[in-house]
Structures are given as C-alpha cells and as structure tokens.
C-alpha cells in the first residue's frame, strides 16, 4: 500500500499547484470540519486543557470561523504546528487556516505565498528586568546579558535595537520560553526579551511577580494574525470578515449573551445586515445569511474574547493598548459592513 | 629435632599461636577505602571532589524533594503550600501537575472512556513478545503471561473497561497460558496476529480491516507456495508480493465493506491526532523496532551479496539514510511528502513518521549486523557450503545465528537509541511525552513556569523502559554464550 501511495505521489508531483486552487470553502463544507493550524501550546493564545479542549485567543477565532461556515463552533480540529512546520502545513493543505501568533511580514506575504487576512493582535517585542537592577528604560541596558530565543525574529530585532542605540549586550541563547524564564530567574541574564504578551504571561506566573518590571520600550512591530493560502480569495474574505464581524460586534455592543435580543430589537441597519436580518451579506460570501450572527453567538465579540483569554482580570492581565477599538484610541478598525 | 642439641635450644614452640585478625588498616571497610578511594594523592583529591559534589547535590535538591506538593490546582498554589509548610523562600517540587495531567503524559488526548484499549494493547504486547524473547521456555513464558494477566486484571479494572472486552481479554490470556503449558512453540502464532490486533485496538474501526489486510499476507504465502515448485523461489516470492499488493489495492476495500455489512463488529474510531505521550512513543518505538530488525538483516545480507543490483540498492539505501539526520527524515515525512502526495490524500502522519523511523533504524541495524557477519571466520561460510546448504539455509542455520549473537549489544543499543529518538517527533508537531506534552502543560496558565517536574517524570519512565531493554540484552548474551572463556 505504501509503495502504491509513493508512486501515486510521484505521478502527482506536477499537480501540486492545483492544491491551492481547490475551493477551501467547499472542502471545509464537504468535510464538515475546519482544520485549524494552532500553536503547540502558548499561554492564553491556544492550548489544550486537562481534558483536551482547546482554549485561547487564537483558538476562539478558529471557533468563530467554524461557527460562521459550519454553524457549529465545535466542528473544528486543531492541528498543532511548530514554528518550522506551520507555513508548510498551510501550503500543503494540511490545514485550512493558520491562527497561531504568526507575524505579518512582507517576505511571508510575497515569498511564502501566504495571505495574512487580518491582525487580531498587535504585539511588539519588550524587555523584562528585575526591579533591583534599577533600570527604567531599555536604553540603559548597556552591557547587559540578554536571554533570547534562538532562530526567531526577536533575535534580529534585538541586534538592530542595540546597534541603533550604540550600546552592547551579551546574548544568552535559550531554546524556549520555559528555559528562558528559568535562566532569567536563576540570574543567568539581566533581562529577558520576547513579545510583550509573552513577557506578561511569564511575569504573571513568577513566584515574585512584583519584583519584575516590563520596560516601556517596545522595539518592534509584531502584528499577529490569521493566515490563509494565497489564491483562494473567497476563503480569505470569509476569515477576514468573520474577524471584522467580531470587531463590529464590539463596536456596536453586541455580545454573546445579547445577540438574539439585539437581533430582535435593533434599528441599526448595519447591525441588521451583520446579523443576517436584512440583506444577503452572508450569502455573498457563500455562507448562510446568519453566519456572522452564529460566530458572535459562539465566541462573543472581540472584546469578550480578549478579556476572557488574556485581558485584565485574567492571570495574564494584558491591557488592551493597541488592541483597543479605534474609537477608544486603539488600532482595531473594521471597514463598514455593507 | 635430635636430643643432642636439646640443651642449646632455649625455646621450642609446642602450640600454634591463635590466628589474629589483620591490622585495622589491612581489613574491612578501611582497607577497601584505602585501596579504592585513597590509594594515591590523585585518588584522594578525586574522592574529596566527588564527595563534595554529592554533598552539594543532596543539600541543594533534598529540600526540594522533601517539600513536594501533591495536592494543588496550580503552580501558584503549590508555591503557597510550600511557603506555608517550609517557610518563605523554600523550594518544593510540584507533583500536583503530574497528578492532574498524568494521563496526557501517558495517553495524549486519547478519550478517557477508551483508555482500556491502549492499556490492553500494552499488556498483550508482552504476551506477544514473550514467545520471541523466551523461545520455548515454559517457566519464563508462564511467569510473563501470569504477570500480564495480573496487570490486565488490575489496569483494565482501573481503566473501567466494559464487561465484554474485559472478559474476552482475560479469556485470551488464560488461553495463552494454557497453550504455554502444552505447546509453547505455538504461542508464536499470537505474536504474528498481534500487530493487526494492536492496530485495531488502538485505532478502532471495523475489525475486518486488519483481518482482511492480514489476509494479504496469506495470499502472499499461498501464491509463493503454489508457484515456488514451478518457477523457483525468488520469482515465486515476487509473484506473491505482486498478488498481495493487488489484494491490498483492489480487493481489500470491497471485501471489508461486504464483511462489515454482514458482521458489523467495530470499535470507536480514534484519530491519530489524539495519540500522544508515551502511547505515541511506544507505538512508534515498538513498531520501528519490530520492523527495522528484519529489514536491517535483509539490507546487511544485500550489502554482502554478489548481485550487483541488490548490492548497490542496499548500499545506496543504507548510505543515504545514514547520511541524513533523523530530524531531516521527520521533516520529510511531515512536510515534503505532503507536497508529493495527490491532493486530498490523507496519509496518516503517525504512519509516515513510523515508516521513516523504521527506515532510519533499519539502516543503522544493517551496518551493525554487517559487523557481526564480518566477525565470523571465513571457515563458517565454507563449512556451510561444504554441507551443501543453499544460500538461505546457510544464512538461517549457520551464519545469522552466530552473526546476530555477536551483534546483540549493538542491536539493543540501536533499539534503545531508536526508542529515545521518538521524542524528536515533537518537531513535526506530534505530542511526544518529553517536549510535546510538556509544552502543552506549560502553556496552561495554571502550570506555566514549571520546569523540572515534567522532565523528571518522563525521564524516569524512559529510564525504566531502556534499562529493562538493556538488562534483557545482558540476559540474552549470557543465555546464548557458548564459548569457553
């Protein structure tokens, strides 16, 4: 059987480009299940709990898409991907959608032939230091030892930052977040640098969280968002607008709890269109007219997702910051739904 | 002594002195210490340094072990309990994490209601291995089967297996025990059907798929037996393989669906992505070990063959696989194959990984066995020829038994290495116990920041498994020792 598959494989090599052209929406509908490329485990953003249920900020986006496309937020299979396998898994069709803290960069857009359809979290690289180091700005870190994960864009950002400010540092390379945290706590490095959301999660779980501060400088832009394959624009639109639907819902005050109530009572035409009470916006995407209502009913609006998984009040305790709605001084802005 | 000089002798001993113990410095613990630990200045220095290191390790880690916490729901709570019991600033192990997540380390996401299936497969694994490991030894076989029966009785009860499989499993093991008493040789039949049984237990689905797949080997054998008197051994084997492949390609699916329609016996299907932890490591490790040995033997023989094509294929395979790191092969399995396969093919990731891990181990084993073949004196080959044995008989009766015997330590090392290498599957997103599951556990906000505990837990289990493999290989060496050294 193995042999036959292999020969079939060789014969089909030339058809590879065809993979991307097949309609992902039809595939997902036929399969009855959304294949969502997830993290192998990242606190607050996506990880399975003791009974194997996935929860997290990125996970909820997948559930919203599943609710919009299939009408059921549980019809989604999470496929853990590592930093190395994630983009290939997407390109080869192993997953329909990648929602695992991937930074939107030009080369990933062009060279890897991927489409970043939205930015669901604006992150940036920060520094954490012990309070008794007496440092209040990253620019005072001259000569510091820095714990840094190898093979990441953070390593390059770090080098750029220190070079620009004409200061020196000594890198202490670590393999993953837990090792970094351990080295930092053991005093092997003066400061630990990674995405600010990761720093906040690490700090929250330290035995002496109050003795550590995250410095105000954010030295890079890390727009994280869901990714789909290049060339299947309809599918990209569905993911993008499911996400925007969650943003609009927050803007309009529609929540998981009151979505039915709003649907019954609203006089706002955009809300009516969004929830499928008027017009045929859902059908234009090839979905059910109530698709976006289903997404909101399944996971709540963007603000709810944020505060449930990573926001203030959770252990991670991240402020909305750049991720506040544009009406509240943030960057989260959805185009009009019409 | 003569009388003449009696007066000149001042003293004649007439009783023997009682034996006296050697001086304190020359006996017991002191002597041992002096000889082994303090014999030279260098030794003294090393001993002191060693004792210092042990002292440092113990004083540094003992409080951590003593302050272990077993009942807590998060790392923070563990820390509070440790601080409350041992004072502020004390450290303590947080085994509560293992208590809450042990099942993910063992089974991954395998549904709890079905845990009895891997548990049963694991027990039967030993029942299947016993006839191979202890061929024909009634006593050892009975001991192992008895232990398996006891293990199944306890674990199946703990995993709350449904009544029917519970009874069937015990009946099966009872039958094997009875067989071991009467015809221990026949137990090998169970070993042969075990892979299909294990596959069905772990992945579920219709019972007919593994049975019909195994029937392919029956087809192979039947064609081989029928054709070999007519066209010779090698062509008959080729014809058998072709017939079996045709069976698997074209006959299997309709036969399975027909049988399933008539007698629907099935288990709940479990997807590969729900496998994880030691379940995954053992599935990959055991399958890899089982299949790599025969492939490795064939490759080693092929490499020594006089036939140009067989030889160059074997050499090419071995050198290619050995020249590439395992991680590269795993990435090939996970990423590259996906590009080559026809669109829509769902070629199971665990299967892909198993195949490449098997190839990897087989290439190494081939070289190990080639070493064993090279160690045999030429006379053995000539003696086999002189007896008029054909190639396969000579290999089976004379060459391989000796070559494999001298290679046992190296073969078992390769196996142990293979089993430990299964943790590398974490890099292709599978949930191995060491990195995959640990990462999942650490991603939970309740356990984020936990460091040593998962490593220690997983390390101890790995040690137990690898250590028993190593002990078995030593037993086997002693048993097969025929020289007179």
């Amino acid at each position: 059987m193995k042999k036959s598959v292999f020969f079939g494989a060789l014969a089909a090599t030339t058809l590879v480009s065809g993979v991307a052209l097949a309609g992902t929406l039809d595939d997902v509908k036929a399969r009855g299940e959304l294949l969502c490329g997830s993290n192998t485990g990242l606190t607050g953003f996506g990880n399975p709990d003791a009974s194997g249920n996935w929860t997290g900020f990125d996970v909820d986006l997948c559930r919203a898409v599943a609710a919009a496309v299939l009408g059921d937020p549980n019809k989604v299979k999470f496929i853990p991907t590592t930093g190395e396998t994630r983009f290939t898994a997407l390109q080869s069709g192993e997953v329909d959608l990648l929602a695992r803290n991937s930074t939107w960069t030009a080369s990933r857009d062009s060279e890897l032939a991927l489409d970043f359809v939205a930015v669901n979290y604006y992150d940036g690289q920060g520094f954490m230091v012990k309070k008794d180091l007496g440092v209040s700005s990253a620019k005072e870190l001259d000569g510091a030892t820095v714990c840094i994960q190898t093979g990441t864009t953070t390593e390059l950002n770090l080098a750029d930052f220190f070079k620009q400010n004409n200061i020196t540092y000594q890198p202490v390379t670590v393999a993953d977040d837990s090792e970094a945290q351990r080295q930092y706590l053991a005093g092997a490095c003066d400061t630990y640098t990674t995405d600010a959301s990761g720093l906040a999660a690490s700090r929250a779980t330290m035995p002496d969280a109050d003795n550590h501060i995250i410095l105000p400088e954010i030295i890079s832009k890390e727009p994280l968002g869901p990714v789909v394959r290049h060339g299947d624009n309809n599918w990209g639109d569905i993911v993008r607008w499911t996400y925007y639907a969650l943003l609009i819902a927050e803007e309009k005050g529609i929540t998981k709890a009151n979505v039915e109530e709003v649907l019954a009572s609203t006089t706002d035409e955009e809300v009516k269109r969004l929830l499928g009470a008027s017009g045929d916006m859902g059908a234009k995407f090839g979905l059910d007219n109530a698709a976006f209502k289903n997404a909101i009913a399944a996971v709540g609006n963007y603000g709810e997702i944020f505060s449930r998984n990573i926001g203030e009040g959770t252990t991670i305790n991240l402020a909305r910051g750049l991720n506040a709605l544009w009406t509240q001084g943030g960057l989260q802005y959805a185009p009009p739904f019409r | 002594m003569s009388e003449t000089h009696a007066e000149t002798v001042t003293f004649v001993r007439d009783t023997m002195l009682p034996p006296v113990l050697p001086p304190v410095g020359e006996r017991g613990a002191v002597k041992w210490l002096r000889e082994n630990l303090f014999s030279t200045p260098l030794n003294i220095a090393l001993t002191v340094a060693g004792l210092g290191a042990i002292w440092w390790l113990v004083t540094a880690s003992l409080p951590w072990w003593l302050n272990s916490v077993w009942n807590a729901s998060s790392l923070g709570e563990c820390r509070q309990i440790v601080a409350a019991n041992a004072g502020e600033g004390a450290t303590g192990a947080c085994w509560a994490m293992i208590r809450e997540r042990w099942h993910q380390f063992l089974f991954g996401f395998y549904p709890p209601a079905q845990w009895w299936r891997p548990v049963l497969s694991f027990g039967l694994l030993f029942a299947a291995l016993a006839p191979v490991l202890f061929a024909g030894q009634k006593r050892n076989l009975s001991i192992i089967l008895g232990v398996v029966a006891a293990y199944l009785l306890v674990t199946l009860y703990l995993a709350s297996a449904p009544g029917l499989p519970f009874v069937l499993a015990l009946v099966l093991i009872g039958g094997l025990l009875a067989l071991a008493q009467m015809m221990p040789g026949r137990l090998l039949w169970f070993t042969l059907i075990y892979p299909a049984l294990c596959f069905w237990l772990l992945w579920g689905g219709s019972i007919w798929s593994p049975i019909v797949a195994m029937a392919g080997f029956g087809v192979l054998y039947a064609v081989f037996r029928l054709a070999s008197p007519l066209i010779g051994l090698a062509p008959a084997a080729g014809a058998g393989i072709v017939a079996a492949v045709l069976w698997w390609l074209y006959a299997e699916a309709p036969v399975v669906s027909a049988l399933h329609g008539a007698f629907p016996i099935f288990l709940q299907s479990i997807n590969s992505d729900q496998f994880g932890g030691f379940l995954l490591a053992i599935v990959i490790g055991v399958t890899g070990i089982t299949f790599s040995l025969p492939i490795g033997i064939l490759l080693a023989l092929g490499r020594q063959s006089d036939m140009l094509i067989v030889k160059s294929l074997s050499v090419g395979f071995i050198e290619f696989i050995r020249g590439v790191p395992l991680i590269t092969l795993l990435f090939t399995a996970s990423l590259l194959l996906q590009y080559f396969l026809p669109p829509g093919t769902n070629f199971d990731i665990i299967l892909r990984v198993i195949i490449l891990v098997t190839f990897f181990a087989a290439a190494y084993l081939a070289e190990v066995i080639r070493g064993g073949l090279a160690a045999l004196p030429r006379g053995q080959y000539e003696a086999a020829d002189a007896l008029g044995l054909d190639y396969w008989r000579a290999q089976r009766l004379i060459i391989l038994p000796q070559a494999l015997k001298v290679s046992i330590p190296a073969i078992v090392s390769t196996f142990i290495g293979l089993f430990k290498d299964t943790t590398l599957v974490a890099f292709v997103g599978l949930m191995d116990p060491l990195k995959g599951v640990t990462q999942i556990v650490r991603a939970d906000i309740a356990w984020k920041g936990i460091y040593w505990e998962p490593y220690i837990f997983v390390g101890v289990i790995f040690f137990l498994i690898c250590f028993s493999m190593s002990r078995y290989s030593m037993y086997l060496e002693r048993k097969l020792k025929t020289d007179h050294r």
Side-chain angles (χ1 to χ4, degrees):
Chain A
M1 214 160 100
K2 190 181 68 210
K3 263 186 195 156
S4 69
V5 171
F6 189 63
F7 287 132
L10 288 179
T13 333
T14 47
L15 296 174
V16 170
S17 54
V19 181
L21 296 176
T24 312
L25 177 61
D26 296 333
D27 290 349
V28 173
K29 278 182 173 168
R31 200 188 300 126
E33 192 175 50
L34 173 73
L35 302 178
C36 182
S38 64
N39 232 303
T40 46
L42 183 67
T43 312
F45 286 85
N47 65 281
D49 64 10
S51 43
N53 298 316
W54 287 79
T55 54
F57 185 76
D58 284 335
V59 164
D60 277 346
L61 183 62
C62 288
R63 292 202 188 280
V65 173
V69 175
L70 302 165
D72 184 348
N74 293 319
K75 284 187 178 164
V76 46
K77 185 156 117 184
F78 294 96
I79 297 183
T81 54
T82 63
E84 292 86 10
T85 62
R86 53 183 168 177
F87 296 127
T88 324
L90 182 63
Q91 286 160 342
S92 64
E94 212 172 331
V95 300
D96 302 315
L97 159 70
L98 197 65
R100 69 170 301 289
N101 285 63
S102 301
T103 306
W104 186 351
T105 66
S107 62
R108 284 175 180 175
D109 231 350
S110 56
E111 201 176 2
L112 292 178
L114 302 171
D115 277 353
F116 284 78
V117 290
V119 176
N120 68 338
Y121 190 88
Y122 289 95
D123 211 336
Q125 187 176 341
F127 293 91
M128 177 161 55
V129 293
K130 296 194 179 77
K131 241 180 201 163
D132 50 22
L133 195 65
V135 168
S136 58
S137 156
K139 290 176 184 160
E140 298 167 23
L141 284 172
D142 195 8
T145 46
V146 183
C147 275
I148 173 97
Q149 290 182 42
T150 48
T152 55
T153 50
T154 51
E155 208 176 6
L156 308 174
N157 297 335
L158 179 73
D160 288 354
F161 176 78
F162 275 79
K163 203 171 173 187
Q164 275 162 20
N165 289 289
N166 228 352
I167 49 180
T168 59
Y169 71 102
Q170 186 121 36
V172 177
T173 52
V174 294
D176 58 21
D177 186 58
S178 66
E179 197 190 331
Q181 192 174 335
R182 197 176 161 71
Q183 295 281 23
Y184 167 75
L185 283 177
C189 47
D190 300 322
T191 175
Y192 170 35
T193 178
T194 187
D195 287 354
S197 62
L199 287 181
S202 288
R203 181 176 174 274
T205 54
M206 283 181 179
D208 51 346
D210 295 337
N211 295 337
H212 305 273
I213 50 169
I214 295 173
L215 297 177
E217 281 89 354
I218 297 294
I219 64 167
S220 72
K221 291 189 285 186
E222 308 282 345
L224 310 175
V227 198
V228 299
R229 274 184 293 279
H230 213 62
D232 189 352
N233 295 7
N234 183 36
W235 178 247
D237 291 343
I238 290 170
V239 176
R240 179 182 297 120
W241 281 95
T242 306
Y243 172 67
Y244 284 152
L246 303 177
L247 280 184
I248 298 169
E250 188 186 6
E251 202 178 318
K252 302 281 184 186
I254 311 168
T255 63
K256 186 177 177 174
N258 74 5
V259 59
E260 294 294 341
E261 203 180 308
V262 171
L263 179 63
S265 63
T266 186
T267 54
D268 185 329
E269 278 306 313
E270 189 175 13
V271 171
K272 278 186 182 172
R273 283 193 297 273
L274 181 69
L275 299 182
S278 72
D280 55 350
M281 299 299 283
K284 281 179 183 164
F285 288 101
L287 300 175
D288 192 77
N289 221 19
F292 300 115
K293 192 202 88 181
N294 291 339
I296 298 165
V299 295
N301 64 39
Y302 180 81
E304 286 180 279
I305 296 175
F306 194 100
S307 61
R308 181 168 62 229
N309 293 304
I310 51 179
E312 283 162 345
T314 64
T315 320
I316 305 176
N317 207 13
L318 286 170
R320 284 292 285 271
L322 289 178
N323 296 293
L325 291 181
W326 63 286
T327 49
Q328 288 150 22
L331 290 176
Q332 294 292 357
Y333 182 101
F337 198 84
R338 67 164 63 250
Chain B
M1 200 172 288
S2 69
E3 289 293 313
T4 34
H5 296 292
E7 66 280 5
T8 62
V9 179
T10 52
F11 173 74
V12 174
R13 166 171 292 178
D14 50 7
T15 53
M16 289 299 287
L17 282 174
V20 176
L21 288 174
V24 179
E26 288 298 324
R27 66 183 149 106
V30 177
K31 179 179 184 225
W32 187 88
L33 286 175
R34 276 177 53 156
E35 280 184 358
N36 292 292
L37 299 179
F38 300 102
S39 56
T40 62
L42 177 65
N43 257 1
I44 293 175
L46 287 176
T47 303
V48 171
L51 284 178
I54 292 175
W55 173 252
W56 177 80
L57 262 181
V58 168
T59 47
S61 69
L62 200 61
W64 187 79
W65 289 95
L66 291 179
N67 293 337
S68 295
V69 175
W70 280 93
N71 274 310
S73 60
S74 72
L75 185 59
E77 204 183 322
C78 269
R79 286 181 184 140
Q80 281 174 10
I81 296 175
V82 170
N85 291 343
E88 208 60 46
T91 57
C94 188
W95 302 111
M97 183 276 291
I98 303 292
R99 191 187 158 95
E100 192 191 288
R101 296 296 190 108
W102 63 271
H103 54 88
Q104 282 181 338
F105 283 100
L106 295 191
F107 300 110
F109 295 141
Y110 213 84
Q114 309 289 327
W115 282 346
W116 61 271
R117 284 157 54 177
V119 161
L120 177 60
S121 318
F122 187 66
L124 292 181
L125 170 67
F126 289 94
L129 282 179
V132 183
L133 300 186
F134 302 99
Q137 300 175 18
K138 253 183 215 173
R139 194 166 147 269
N140 281 340
L141 283 175
S142 310
I143 292 176
I144 290 202
L145 289 173
V147 171
V148 169
Y151 157 87
L152 285 182
L153 204 60
V154 176
T155 50
L156 286 182
Y157 173 73
L158 289 179
S160 46
L164 185 63
F166 200 144
V167 173
L168 282 180
L170 291 182
V171 168
L172 173 66
I173 207 83
L176 290 177
L177 256 174
L179 199 61
Q181 305 311 316
M182 291 179 290
M183 292 174 288
R186 292 290 167 83
L187 279 178
L188 273 176
W189 283 103
F190 178 69
T191 310
L192 285 182
I193 61 168
Y194 176 75
L197 179 65
C198 174
F199 173 82
W200 181 60
L201 278 175
L202 289 180
W203 274 272
S206 168
I207 193 175
W208 299 109
S209 356
I211 290 181
V212 176
M214 286 297 263
F217 290 106
V219 170
L220 198 164
Y221 183 70
V223 170
F224 174 72
R225 281 307 288 268
L226 287 176
S228 58
L230 303 176
I231 54 175
L233 284 184
I241 291 173
V242 169
V245 169
L246 289 176
W247 170 268
W248 285 321
L249 279 185
Y250 299 108
E252 182 169 345
V255 173
V256 167
S257 62
L259 282 170
H260 187 69
F263 310 97
I265 306 177
F266 61 93
L267 282 173
Q268 185 193 329
S269 256
I270 309 285
N271 261 325
S272 283
D273 59 341
Q274 284 168 301
F275 284 58
F278 277 98
L279 172 60
L280 182 70
I282 291 177
V283 164
I284 297 178
V286 170
T287 326
I289 286 173
T290 316
F291 290 102
S292 64
L293 187 58
I295 299 178
I297 292 175
L298 287 180
L299 284 172
L301 292 178
R303 193 166 186 167
Q304 296 225 316
S305 163
D306 298 331
M307 290 182 274
L308 179 68
I309 295 181
V310 172
K311 184 178 172 129
S312 35
L313 281 180
S314 302
V315 172
F317 182 89
I318 293 171
E319 295 302 336
F320 173 70
I321 300 270
R322 281 207 316 163
V324 176
L326 180 57
I327 298 251
T328 313
L329 290 178
L330 290 176
F331 277 127
T332 310
S334 147
L335 307 175
L336 219 53
L337 277 180
Q338 279 294 316
Y339 282 120
F340 290 155
L341 293 177
T345 321
N346 188 10
F347 192 19
D348 195 286
I349 173 85
I350 294 187
L351 189 61
R352 280 183 266 157
V353 165
I354 286 179
I355 290 172
L356 284 173
V357 166
T358 307
F359 284 173
F360 187 76
Y364 274 84
L365 276 180
E367 287 300 281
V368 165
I369 293 166
R370 192 169 68 95
L373 291 173
L376 283 196
R378 220 182 134 59
Q380 296 291 325
Y381 291 88
E382 286 164 356
D385 289 343
L387 284 172
L389 298 176
D390 65 21
Y391 179 77
W392 289 108
R393 285 213 179 86
Q395 297 299 336
R396 188 164 60 84
L397 298 172
I398 295 186
I399 309 298
L400 281 180
Q402 300 183 68
L404 289 180
K405 194 183 82 185
V406 296
S407 326
I408 287 172
I411 290 179
V412 175
S413 302
T414 311
F415 285 167
I416 291 177
L418 164 67
F419 183 61
K420 289 191 293 187
D421 281 351
T422 58
T423 51
L424 292 178
V425 300
F427 291 102
V428 295
L430 290 179
M431 276 207 304
D432 83 296
L434 193 64
K435 188 164 191 291
V437 177
T438 303
Q439 194 165 6
I440 284 175
V441 171
R442 285 204 190 116
D444 189 331
I445 191 78
W447 304 116
K448 192 174 165 61
I450 203 159
Y451 193 76
W452 293 110
E453 291 86 342
Y455 288 154
I456 293 175
F457 179 69
V458 172
V460 166
I461 297 182
F462 263 110
F463 176 79
L464 286 179
I465 296 175
C466 296
F467 186 65
S468 9
M469 281 201 253
S470 141
R471 298 310 291 188
Y472 172 75
S473 99
M474 288 168 76
Y475 155 83
L476 200 60
E477 274 175 69
R478 273 199 308 278
K479 195 186 94 169
L480 297 179
K481 195 166 175 178
T482 47
D483 55 7
H484 304 287
R485 249 176 265 158

